[in-house]
Amino acid sequence: MSLHIEMTPEAEAEMKRTVQRNRLSSIAIAVLCCFLGGLTLYLTVKLFEEQEPAALTQYTPPLEDLPPTKQPVTKQLQSRPASASSSVAPSVVVAAAAGPVAMAEVDVPTDSMDFGTGMELGVGFGTGGLGDGIGSGGTGLGTEQAGGSTIEGTFYDLKQTSSGAPTGMTPGNCKKILQEFITTGWSKSMLSKYYVAPTKLYVSCFYMPVSKASEAPYAYKVEDKVKPSMWAAVYRGKVVAPKTGKFRFVGYGDDALVVRFNGKNVFDYGWEHLTSGKMMGGQPGNRAELKDDKGEPRKFYKYTKAGHDWNESAGGMCSGDVFSVQQGKSYPMEVLISEIPGGKFGFVLLIEDVDAPSTLKDGTGSPIFQLFRTNFAEPNVDELYKNMKEPLPGERSEVPYDKDSLIWAGEAA
């Protein structure tokens, strides 16, 4: 017996309708895909049409196909051995008028260069100038080129008026005038009635080895108009504190070195003590009377290579008053340097971080303080003596300083 199954008319009609729907759906999907593909192609073409043609056509050959290129020749910073007792150089700017700097050529590796705060630039005092306060002439008194984080110096001759007429000045009167100047507000008008050198000098540190008083008129280019006595150089500017804390200046000047910081006299010591009007050189009794603003005796520091005059006759480097600063804040600062009777001349201005006492020691046992400076360049004592106009035969001074001295960024007032 066989089984026969036959589709009903209704089922056959439904199947035909399903096949028709599927065909229509396939056609619709195909049409939609074509539309979307065309739209995508159209948008892509429009996008590329808006791009620069060079972006589509420029060809960059592989590196191995490029012609060989000549490698740049670099210069290496020349560093000198850091000797704690002999690295005393007058920073980039010394005190009044100095000479340009000649930099030795050296190779510098480009892959590993260390620019730490103790970096020494190998700078000499030659005929070229960097505008960083090194000075043209090598006397350690500044340069005519402003900038490079420096402060400005003006030279006054108290022996003649602004028009060049003699004033009849004497060493005693000169000392009294300078005493009044620093104790009554450092008024520019008080000194402007005297002869003012046309040349301005810019310094970044105050460091001048023992020399002759003629070096200052020479540096300020008035040696033909000013005799080497009864003159003063005043430096004015602003400096930015490198850290928050307490500091004090340490130094010496022949004949005088006075510092006003943030409107207050915080340092005054040299062969003469202008504030009191008393002579300190060769007068240990007068030195013993000196007190700081807290009533404490001044401290003195001697150094192996400072020389007999600075160690014995002057008693060494003297401490100033403690002052406080905030990191990043700018402070006005003035420095006065003077030679009164003439003869020997020189100065050094160091700075002590009271909150972080120096661990470096000189052969005498005295701490080696930081050099007060406004940029990274360091002075070179050998070059200073080499380029002096009239070096003292057989005499030399060299006060050491910390190679990692902080930078008190400066600008002319």
Side-chain angles (χ1 to χ4, degrees):
M1 181 178 76
S2 61
L3 181 61
H4 176 72
I5 299 176
E6 185 177 2
M7 181 179 295
T8 64
E10 293 79 8
E12 183 177 2
E14 181 63 25
M15 184 179 70
K16 289 180 179 180
R17 286 194 295 270
T18 299
V19 170
Q20 187 176 11
R21 285 196 300 270
N22 289 342
R23 287 176 179 172
L24 292 175
S25 298
S26 298
I27 293 173
I29 291 173
V31 171
L32 180 60
C33 289
C34 291
F35 173 78
L36 292 176
L39 179 62
T40 301
L41 181 60
Y42 172 80
L43 293 177
T44 301
V45 170
K46 293 295 292 182
L47 178 63
F48 273 81
E49 283 180 350
E50 295 176 359
Q51 300 299 318
E52 293 292 334
L56 297 174
T57 60
Q58 187 175 4
Y59 169 69
T60 302
L63 291 178
E64 58 270 18
D65 294 337
L66 292 174
T69 58
K70 184 177 180 180
Q71 295 298 321
V73 177
T74 57
K75 303 293 182 184
Q76 183 174 11
L77 297 175
Q78 180 178 3
S79 61
R80 291 185 286 274
S83 168
S85 63
S86 65
S87 63
V88 169
S91 168
V92 164
V93 252
V94 214
V101 182
M103 301 204 49
E105 287 191 359
V106 278
D107 291 332
V108 151
T110 57
D111 52 349
S112 61
M113 294 178 66
D114 182 10
F115 292 94
T117 57
M119 179 186 69
E120 190 166 349
L121 299 180
V123 177
F125 291 76
T127 57
L130 294 183
D132 54 10
I134 290 186
S136 61
T139 62
L141 290 159
T143 175
E144 294 181 61
Q145 298 178 0
S149 183
T150 59
I151 56 180
E152 182 182 85
T154 302
F155 181 88
Y156 303 90
D157 180 21
L158 279 66
K159 301 184 301 299
Q160 53 184 317
T161 65
S162 58
S163 61
T167 61
M169 188 63 60
T170 65
N173 286 337
C174 179
K175 187 160 63 172
K176 289 180 181 179
I177 291 170
L178 295 179
Q179 179 186 42
E180 182 181 2
F181 173 73
I182 67 166
T183 56
T184 59
W186 296 63
S187 172
K188 291 183 179 180
S189 62
M190 186 175 294
L191 297 182
S192 62
K193 60 184 177 182
Y194 299 104
Y195 177 79
V196 180
T199 299
K200 301 287 186 181
L201 295 180
Y202 300 85
V203 303
S204 65
C205 77
F206 297 88
Y207 192 102
M208 182 73 184
V210 63
S211 57
K212 290 185 178 182
S214 57
E215 296 296 336
Y218 169 67
Y220 276 92
K221 303 185 183 304
V222 290
E223 68 271 26
D224 58 336
K225 298 181 179 66
V226 177
K227 294 182 179 180
S229 65
M230 290 175 278
W231 56 257
V234 179
Y235 293 80
R236 300 177 186 271
K238 294 181 179 180
V239 296
V240 178
K243 63 175 289 189
T244 298
K246 296 179 179 179
F247 294 85
R248 68 176 175 181
F249 290 109
V250 176
Y252 170 73
D254 183 0
D255 280 314
L257 175 62
V258 185
V259 180
R260 184 167 80 149
F261 190 92
N262 197 25
K264 178 183 176 182
N265 291 344
V266 295
F267 181 87
D268 178 1
Y269 187 72
W271 194 265
E272 299 285 350
H273 185 256
L274 292 183
T275 302
S276 67
K278 293 183 177 181
M279 180 183 292
M280 297 292 114
Q283 303 294 325
N286 288 346
R287 294 197 294 269
E289 295 177 359
L290 294 178
K291 309 289 183 182
D292 63 18
D293 58 344
K294 304 298 182 183
E296 297 295 325
R298 297 289 183 187
K299 295 183 179 181
F300 292 87
Y301 307 93
K302 299 181 181 182
Y303 295 94
T304 304
K305 296 184 178 182
H308 179 272
D309 278 355
W310 290 15
N311 275 340
E312 305 306 328
S313 299
M317 305 292 109
C318 182
S319 63
D321 294 337
V322 174
F323 57 92
S324 299
V325 296
Q326 295 180 3
Q327 182 176 357
K329 186 176 179 180
S330 178
Y331 297 89
M333 179 176 176
E334 292 100 349
V335 178
L336 178 142
I337 298 160
S338 177
E339 175 58 45
I340 298 175
K344 294 181 181 179
F345 163 64
F347 50 85
V348 171
L349 186 63
L350 309 174
I351 189 166
E352 177 183 8
D353 187 338
V354 177
D355 298 325
S358 174
T359 58
L360 302 175
K361 301 291 182 181
D362 180 69
T364 62
S366 294
I368 296 176
F369 299 109
Q370 296 182 34
L371 175 72
F372 177 79
R373 59 181 183 174
T374 61
N375 59 36
F376 282 103
E378 298 182 8
N380 181 294
V381 174
D382 291 334
E383 291 295 328
L384 284 174
Y385 276 109
K386 178 181 177 181
N387 293 302
M388 281 183 184
K389 182 177 185 290
E390 297 180 274
L392 288 166
E395 293 197 49
R396 183 182 175 100
S397 66
E398 188 170 344
V399 178
Y401 63 87
D402 186 352
K403 289 290 185 177
D404 289 325
S405 300
L406 296 172
I407 306 299
W408 296 70
E411 59 183 12

